[in-house]
Amino acid sequence: MAKKRTRTKSASSNGDPQTLQRPPAEILFADELRALAKASAKDPKPPGWKLSPRAVLKFVLGDPSEDRPAKFVGRRAFLERCIVSLATNRGLMLIGEPGTAKSYLSELLTAAISGDSTLTIQGSAGTTEDNIRYSWNYALLVSEGPSENALVPAPLYLGMKHGKLVRFEEITRCALEIQDVLLSVLSDRVMAVAELPEAQRSLYASNGFNVIATANTRDRGVNEMSAALKRRFNFETVHPIADIQEELQLVQRETNRNLSRSQVPVTIDPELTELLVTTFRELRQGKTVDGKGIETPSTVLSTAEAVATGYAAGVHAYYYSDGQVQPLHLVRHLVGSVLKDNPDDLKTVRHYFDHVIKKRKTEPWQAFYDARDELI
Ligand SMILES: Nc1ncnc2c1ncn2[C@@H]1O[C@H](COP(=O)(O)OP(=O)(O)O)[C@@H](O)[C@H]1O
Ligand SMILES: [Mg+2]
């Protein structure tokens, strides 16, 4: 019982953070956000923001002087532009290949700026205006008539009302007319609620409201967006991590964090992380570390996929072996990452094993090669 009383308010309404599969960033990093808010209380900040732009940058990029690693690995100039966009009258559109942490970055930014990353619209072919703006509680609508009480707010309504950032994930997967619901909201910062009595018919956005959208360039593509809507966003492209050392550190850290969160007492060896990341990078870039051209599979072998592969290998090693992650475990789970829909991809990877990995005579590469028969 005593433990219960010490929980934070948001955590208690969502259960114990320790038992949540994936707590949102504002819960996971609650202490850090509180400390940053305190330390930067005197910094200038845009109206409606919880943290100053400087503190937001520190939260996302970490602080080497305090031994806090970057949560998102990216260039500072890019991040500054993203944060500035959110303080203007335009939304922020993050575009890029799948698995480049667009969603994660938008979660971190909304958690830092609004203290809430959960006002999220998930774009899909089935997204409706109701999922974006509001819908009605029909029982109340019938008994009381249209009133704010009978209105069931959706993320855009809540963000405007409470002055928070709203996330629109994979916006280009929605039909054009659904995307265009954002047009008037982003330009005039007002939402018409036509059903309500006249005095309540316009919802004006409070300070702090804005939209972060994400779009995968591999999906239907951003050309599927109206020119009018494009004008209301600043576009920023998120690139895969350029520096191999940075990618190694991130994959190592994220893999081990995932394992420990799922109570698997296994860590992956830095040597194996290097093997995993090198393999993913070579196949992604179509080039080996010594500059030889190779064929690339049609699936994207992103950093996020590398983490997922390392994580699965660790879980596998724990439950079915002695808890020591081996190259064999990586090969087994590589298949699930690479082979999504195109059977030719497996051939491409086999070819890579036979022509590139075979020649690497040191361990753990040899053991990796020896496990190639698992590529089925
Ligand atoms: N630059 C990066 N910084 C931090 N994590 C990254 C980066 N690139 C990839 N990742 C990994 O990808 C995961 C998130 O991917 P996600 O946000 O779902 O990608 P996207 O939305 O672009 O498809 C992160 O949890 C992390 O493991
Ligand atoms: Mg995403």
Side-chain angles (χ1 to χ4, degrees), residues 102-103 169-170 214 216:
K102 298 179 295 300
S103 301
E169 284 287 309
E170 316 219 15
T214 65
N216 275 324

Side-chain angles (χ1 to χ4, degrees), residues 157-175:
Y157 187 99
L158 289 171
M160 292 176 73
K161 188 164 171 106
H162 301 297
K164 290 180 174 179
L165 294 177
V166 174
R167 297 168 53 191
F168 202 139
E169 284 287 309
E170 316 219 15
I171 189 167
T172 47
R173 293 183 59 206
C174 299

Side-chain angles (χ1 to χ4, degrees), residues 247 250-256 258 276-277 280 302-313 337:
E247 190 172 1
L250 180 98
V251 171
Q252 176 83 24
R253 201 171 58 236
E254 286 282 308
T255 306
N256 288 339
N258 284 337
L276 178 66
V277 170
F280 272 60
S302 64
T303 309
E305 289 282 354
V307 172
T309 306
Y311 178 30
S337 294

Side-chain angles (χ1 to χ4, degrees), residues 76-97:
R76 185 188 163 118
F78 157 83
L79 259 164
E80 284 183 2
R81 282 201 310 272
C82 292
I83 297 168
V84 165
S85 287
L86 292 168
T88 69
N89 56 355
R90 281 188 176 189
L92 169 65
M93 175 74 64
L94 297 172
I95 61 170
E97 299 256 285

